[in-house]
Amino acid sequence: MIIKTYLFALIIFVVFCCNITVKAQNTYQYMANTSAKVVQGRIISKKEVRYNYDIENPNLICGYILNIKVTKSYKGGEEDFRVFATNSDVLMDKGSEYLLFARKNIKFGKNGRDAIDFINCDQEKSTRMDISDFEFLSTRLSQQIFPLISYSTEKTIVDEDTGIMKRGEWMLIVDRISNNALPYSITRRRLNNGNLNVIEEMNYKDFLSAFKLK
């Protein structure tokens, strides 16, 4: 009886984990399919978008207008563009390169009630605000902006867990629930770089292949 109960619990756990993984994979495949732009690029400038959230949180940062210099396009063209993003945990030091998913804003150019939508602000707040000035959005709870890091032969950086020297291009994965279930067919490893928001790095080439972005 105990063995049957254990096996049943194990089966339920495996099914649950598989469902989460499939959901995450479907989320990113859906983003890849529906995004207006999927590009590699640099943030050449950013501007805070502030909002009077409530009495206790006046002038809250609800996002950033990012001007993107495209260095490689997987979808949507190679022209530079502007995007509204709402998660500061992915904005690294100046000069960093990113993989960025951006969708077309259906509220762009609208007026009145048609210009209003829900936005996730910093500090885990959300509000309704006018987003009609932004042609492109990267505002989902799932990570849409991935800082990139490259380990060249000139750098001697050793993986603490394996003792193997790091090489190649990697994506930084921030601490989001949705990212916990990114498919493990993509090579990933823990990362301790002093940034509490960043928990792992994921092989860039593997990610592009998994979501058919090459």
Side-chain angles (χ1 to χ4, degrees):
M1 183 68 180
I2 295 175
I3 295 176
K4 287 184 178 179
T5 302
Y6 174 77
L7 289 174
F8 179 75
L10 181 61
I11 291 170
I12 294 297
F13 176 75
V14 170
V15 171
F16 176 74
C17 290
C18 289
N19 284 340
I20 292 177
T21 301
V22 168
K23 183 176 180 181
Q25 188 154 7
N26 288 344
T27 296
Y28 281 96
Q29 192 60 67
Y30 177 81
M31 278 189 358
N33 293 341
T34 61
S35 291
K37 291 183 177 291
V38 183
V39 301
Q40 180 177 328
R42 296 192 305 274
I43 298 172
I44 56 177
S45 68
K46 67 178 181 179
K47 180 182 178 182
E48 294 176 350
V49 176
R50 293 183 173 268
Y51 186 82
N52 289 326
Y53 184 79
D54 56 28
I55 295 175
E56 295 181 358
N57 296 278
N59 210 20
L60 179 71
I61 297 176
C62 268
Y64 304 84
I65 301 172
L66 307 177
N67 285 302
I68 305 298
K69 174 71 175 178
V70 176
T71 56
K72 186 173 184 179
S73 175
Y74 299 103
K75 185 178 182 181
E78 298 182 352
E79 66 274 14
D80 300 345
F81 66 100
R82 189 179 70 151
V83 63
F84 179 55
T86 54
N87 292 293
S88 60
D89 55 0
V90 298
L91 304 181
M92 302 296 162
D93 296 334
K94 190 175 181 180
S96 296
E97 290 242 338
Y98 301 83
L99 174 68
L100 185 143
F101 293 82
R103 68 185 184 280
K104 192 79 171 177
N105 178 18
I106 61 174
K107 305 283 187 176
F108 180 61
K110 302 291 186 180
N111 297 303
R113 294 176 62 182
D114 292 336
I116 306 298
D117 205 353
F118 278 104
I119 289 295
N120 296 304
C121 304
D122 264 0
Q123 302 177 25
E124 298 182 352
K125 304 287 186 180
S126 63
T127 191
R128 288 172 60 84
M129 60 182 288
D130 186 338
I131 60 170
S132 60
D133 287 340
F134 315 124
E135 185 175 2
F136 297 101
L137 303 174
S138 291
T139 56
R140 288 194 177 102
L141 292 176
S142 300
Q143 187 174 348
Q144 289 185 268
I145 303 177
F146 294 87
L148 302 177
I149 185 168
S150 179
Y151 297 105
S152 64
T153 54
E154 289 78 20
K155 295 179 181 178
T156 306
I157 302 177
V158 177
D159 182 5
E160 295 178 2
D161 292 330
T162 64
I164 299 173
M165 197 171 297
K166 294 186 176 185
R167 290 288 181 266
E169 289 186 293
W170 296 73
M171 306 160 59
L172 301 186
I173 307 300
V174 298
D175 191 7
R176 306 263 183 85
I177 293 176
S178 58
N179 287 340
N180 291 337
L182 276 162
Y184 279 88
S185 57
I186 304 174
T187 306
R188 57 202 291 181
R189 57 196 180 196
R190 292 186 302 166
L191 184 65
N192 299 312
N193 66 348
N195 186 334
L196 297 179
N197 292 317
V198 178
I199 57 174
E200 288 182 304
E201 54 187 3
M202 176 172 284
N203 188 278
Y204 188 27
K205 186 181 294 184
D206 287 356
F207 184 94
L208 294 176
S209 296
F211 297 106
K212 302 176 180 64
L213 292 171
K214 286 191 172 184

